[in-house]
């Protein structure tokens, strides 16, 4: 059992952030075999040949040498600052890592997972190691994940919208409630069930960084070492359906509403903006807006403003229609 103790001041400083670099790192771990997590079949089929080519053409083997099954180089994934974190922000933070800090981390990684590959060691011992690794990761991002990022980011953002609503209505205990099946809020601390001896860590007034992730699914990750603050990386809501299920045919609901409109209604399990739905479903923003307008006129969806965003959600009638369609037996 791991306990992360949080004072009232820590809760005031707790916040959410997104990390494109953490997501790329998660994908690379799966493709390398270091992670036993699997990928959706379509993403796996597209990614594996690209990954093999990058290993042959870039310094990606040096990046992967800094990973092992239960850990990896901290400097490779600097802590994200906010929900607005961009890929360029991530690269700038990696390039700014002091050389002595990077070398200390590299030495630790090579003790965990030794290598005698001369090409890999030449990269890791170079004075411009951070620049070389950043350039390699930049190419991996552009060829492996950039095209998927808007859709995956939308999933993470919707998770934050959901938890922000819980936080506003019932406080942090409610926002923490379903982060992960192995995580619970208990007596002033987040408790994480895991093998081994009990451990207690404190946030020390820095608060807790909460990072929704797609590629951490179905596990959860805790960061307690520098340069990260105390951080919990957890599966964003909606990830399990993305990973476990093939695209579901529209069935009777699609026959009634049309396939695309049925997909929009089905996607409103959690409140979402027009842009988030467009990214998640791979549809044009204008088309999603038209579908939402029809669903609102039919009483199947409603909307409310949240800050600068307008969020849509299913009405009770929409919930009943979707539930009825799901329960209809196949002929």
């Amino acid at each position: 059992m791991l306990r992360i103790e949080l004072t009232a001041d820590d809760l005031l400083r707790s916040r959410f952030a997104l990390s494109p670099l953490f997501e790329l790192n998660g994908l690379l771990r799966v493709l390398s075999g270091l992670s036993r997590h699997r990928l959706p079949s379509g993403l796996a089929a597209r990614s594996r040949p690209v990954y093999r080519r990058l290993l042959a053409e870039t310094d990606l083997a040096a990046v992967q040498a800094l990973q092992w099954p239960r850990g990896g180089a901290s400097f490779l994934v600097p802590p994200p600052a906010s929900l607005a974190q961009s890929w360029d922000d991530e690269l700038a933070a990696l390039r700014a890592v002091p050389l002595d800090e990077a070398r200390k981390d590299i030495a630790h990684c090579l003790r965990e997972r030794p290598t005698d590959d001369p090409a890999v060691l030449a990269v890791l011992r170079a004075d411009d190691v951070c620049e070389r690794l950043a350039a390699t990761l930049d190419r991996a991002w552009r060829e492996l994940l950039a095209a998927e990022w808007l859709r995956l980011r939308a999933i993470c953002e919707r998770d934050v919208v959901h938890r922000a609503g819980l936080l506003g209505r019932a406080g942090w205990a409610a926002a923490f409630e379903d982060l992960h099946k192995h995580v619970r809020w208990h007596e002033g601390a987040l408790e994480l069930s895991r093998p081994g001896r009990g451990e207690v860590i404190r946030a020390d007034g820095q608060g807790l960084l909460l990072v929704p992730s797609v590629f951490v699914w179905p596990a959860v990750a805790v960061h307690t070492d520098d340069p990260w603050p105390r951080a919990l990386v957890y599966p964003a809501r909606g990830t399990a359906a993305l990973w476990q299920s093939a695209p579901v045919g529209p069935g009777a609901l699609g026959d009634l509403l049309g396939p695309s409109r049925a997909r929009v209604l089905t996607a409103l399990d959690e409140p979402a903006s027009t842009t988030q739905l467009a990214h998640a479903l791979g549809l044009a923003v204008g088309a999603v807006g038209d579908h939402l307008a029809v669903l609102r006129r039919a009483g199947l969806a409603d909307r409310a403003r949240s800050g600068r965003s307008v969020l849509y959600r299913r009405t009770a009638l929409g919930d009943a229609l979707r539930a009825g369609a799901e329960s209809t037996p196949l002929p």
Side-chain angles (χ1 to χ4, degrees), residues 47-68:
S47 300
R48 295 195 187 282
V50 177
Y51 176 76
R52 289 192 291 270
R53 178 167 50 78
L54 290 171
L55 279 174
E57 297 177 359
T58 72
D59 292 329
L60 187 57
V63 173
Q64 301 300 69
L66 299 178
Q67 310 287 343
W68 61 94

Side-chain angles (χ1 to χ4, degrees), residues 64-314:
Q64 301 300 69
L66 299 178
Q67 310 287 343
W68 61 94
R70 296 188 65 82
S74 297
F75 82 96
L76 270 184
V77 187
S82 70
L83 290 170
Q85 190 89 350
S86 70
W87 177 248
D88 288 341
D89 294 333
E90 304 270 56
L91 284 185
L94 174 54
R95 289 184 168 117
V97 172
L99 181 58
D100 59 345
E101 180 181 317
R103 283 182 167 160
K104 181 179 179 181
D105 206 355
I106 289 168
H108 171 71
C109 294
L110 293 179
R111 287 193 296 271
E112 292 285 343
R113 190 183 176 203
T115 180
D116 57 4
D117 185 324
V120 167
L121 292 174
V123 174
L124 298 182
R125 291 169 177 167
D127 289 344
D128 62 346
V129 58
C130 291
E131 175 59 39
R132 292 181 68 168
L133 295 179
T136 297
L137 288 167
D138 189 31
R139 181 169 169 188
W141 169 264
R142 288 184 281 107
E143 298 193 23
L144 284 171
L145 202 54
E148 303 281 347
W149 178 237
L150 288 178
R151 182 168 65 108
L152 301 183
R153 184 185 186 100
I155 292 173
C156 295
E157 288 177 339
R158 290 178 68 181
D159 175 276
V160 174
V161 168
H162 167 74
R163 296 190 192 284
L166 294 175
L167 177 62
R169 292 193 297 274
W172 276 109
F176 290 147
E177 185 173 354
D178 64 344
L179 282 170
H180 191 268
K181 63 182 180 180
H182 294 311
V183 176
R184 68 167 184 165
W185 175 254
H186 182 64
E187 295 182 351
L190 269 187
E191 293 184 343
L192 175 66
S193 301
R194 67 180 188 182
R197 297 174 54 187
E199 183 182 359
V200 176
I201 60 175
R202 295 174 176 82
D204 294 331
Q206 298 182 65
L208 183 69
L209 185 65
L210 293 155
V211 184
S213 167
V214 171
F215 288 103
V216 78
W217 183 90
V220 63
V222 178
H223 284 267
T224 61
D225 298 326
D226 294 338
W228 282 64
R230 305 297 186 251
L232 185 74
V233 185
Y234 64 92
R237 292 169 61 90
T239 301
L242 175 69
W243 256 227
Q244 290 179 309
S245 305
V248 178
L253 193 60
D255 293 340
L256 177 65
L257 300 176
S260 295
R261 195 165 296 148
R263 290 178 65 206
V264 172
L265 184 66
T266 300
L268 289 175
D269 288 340
E270 301 294 343
S273 68
T274 304
T275 302
Q276 289 170 341
L277 288 169
H279 290 163
L281 298 174
L283 299 173
V285 173
V288 171
D290 291 342
H291 293 318
L292 288 168
V294 173
L295 293 172
R296 287 186 63 233
R297 289 199 300 272
L300 302 178
D302 202 352
R303 66 183 182 182
R305 181 166 293 279
S306 177
R308 296 182 179 181
S309 299
V310 175
L311 302 181
Y312 291 82
R313 68 188 73 208
R314 281 197 306 268

